[in-house]
Amino acid sequence: MPSEDAAPPLDVDQILADDGVRIVVCCGAGGVGKTTTAAALALRAAERHGRRTVVLTIDPARRLAQSLGLTELDNTPRQVKGIDVEASGGELHAMMLDMKRTFDDVVLQHTDPAKAAEIFANPFYQAMSSTFAGTQEYMAMEKLGQLHARGEWDLIVVDTPPSRSALDFLDAPARLSRFLDGRMLRLLLAPARSGGRSMFSLVTASFGMFSKVVQKVLGAQLLTDLSGFVAALDSMFGGFRQRAEQTYRILQARETAFLLVAAPEPDAVREAAYFAGRLRSERMPLAGLVLNRVHRPAADLSAAESLAAAERLAGVGGHEGTVEVLRAHAALAQQAVREEQVAARFTEAFPAVPAVSVAAQPADVHDVDGLRTIGEAISRS
Ligand SMILES: Nc1ncnc2c1ncn2[C@@H]1O[C@H](COP(=O)(O)OP(=O)(O)OP(=O)(O)O)[C@@H](O)[C@H]1O
Ligand SMILES: [Mg+2]
């Protein structure tokens, strides 16, 4: 229900139809509907707006992936068949991020095959490329950079990893490149330039405690592996950082639109507000908020009214079914009010950010029809 403090309405179709918009990034807290929203928007961009669209999904649910024709991680976009693009002339391509393959590709691009093989064989690399916290975020950015550089698509819709915090997507690349940059590790491992004395022993002398802890935590073998890894990556540090910085600049450009996805729950809305603040300070273009999975009662009957009616009927007797329906309606109406209050916290903090609500569907969204329905809900058509 529109109220005086309501946010301006978000016009998603205007964004999807705008030739100047080349990247849409869907971000938000874990489990709020980022992947669903990204896929729904990409489908709509292709079907309604005739755009040659690619959606980069991250860990999509199996059934959703299957319905997009994605049966395995192959790290390249595949055209989605069986969608309704005859009239619009658009195309939809979809891919799932394979973070290890993406990392491998980056290594291959930045070094010769022999050195790459050495890196691939390193246990530290193996662990880091598949499990290191932040690798997925970094590789999502990397993949976005690659897709953008290919220049083949009118529109790239990007899903973001299921991080605990939405901010991880923006923070992880810097954190990872700081780690790869590994000043501290290099200080520990590199031989000193003068006197042939290892910097390691110098550091050991002054930070004895610290390196003992490092040894203990990492183990001697791992330290050797790590030393090899850092040495092998040495030539690529600049490359990694430069690429992350490049992608960061793309994210700041006018061709990018960030869409924040949130569920109408305190944690998700708080997360969305943090993220909106961060985008503002990074000068990254926030296009709007998608409040996903909201509950709306079917009739304009307040919780109090329907509870009162339920109690009156219950007193009469013989209307158990109706009483139950009225009580269920009251619960839903109460929930809707709570959700509006939660959403208002975001709108109060960011009154200029356009927003749209998407109703909770009766079932999970796992096929093209379901995505189309979500797309219609987001664009209120
Ligand atoms: N409006 C909706 N109504 C009903 N179900 C929904 C709606 N939006 C998303 N879902 C369902 O909620 C679940 C989570 O959605 P989704 O995978 O898109 O979230 P996510 O933000 O990508 O999660 P993660 O952070 O784990 O990646 C899925 O099963 C999806 O089908
Ligand atoms: Mg997801």
Side-chain angles (χ1 to χ4, degrees), residues 29-36 162 292-293 358-361 363-365 374:
V32 293
K34 299 180 293 293
T35 303
T36 307
N292 189 31
R293 301 188 93 152
V358 175
Q361 306 296 307
D364 271 1
V365 183
I374 294 288

Side-chain angles (χ1 to χ4, degrees), residues 115-174:
K115 214 165 201 164
E118 202 179 297
I119 294 177
F120 295 155
N122 189 299
F124 193 80
Y125 174 78
Q126 289 165 3
M128 178 167 170
S129 58
S130 49
T131 56
F132 191 77
T135 303
Q136 202 172 30
E137 284 82 359
Y138 183 91
M139 291 307 144
M141 279 238 192
E142 171 65 34
K143 200 74 209 176
L144 166 60
Q146 285 175 16
L147 291 173
H148 186 262
R150 278 167 65 172
E152 282 178 35
W153 289 280
D154 299 336
L155 181 67
I156 305 171
V157 184
V158 190
D159 176 22
T160 51
S163 321
R164 191 184 47 79
S165 159
L167 289 176
D168 283 353
F169 180 66
L170 292 178
D171 288 335

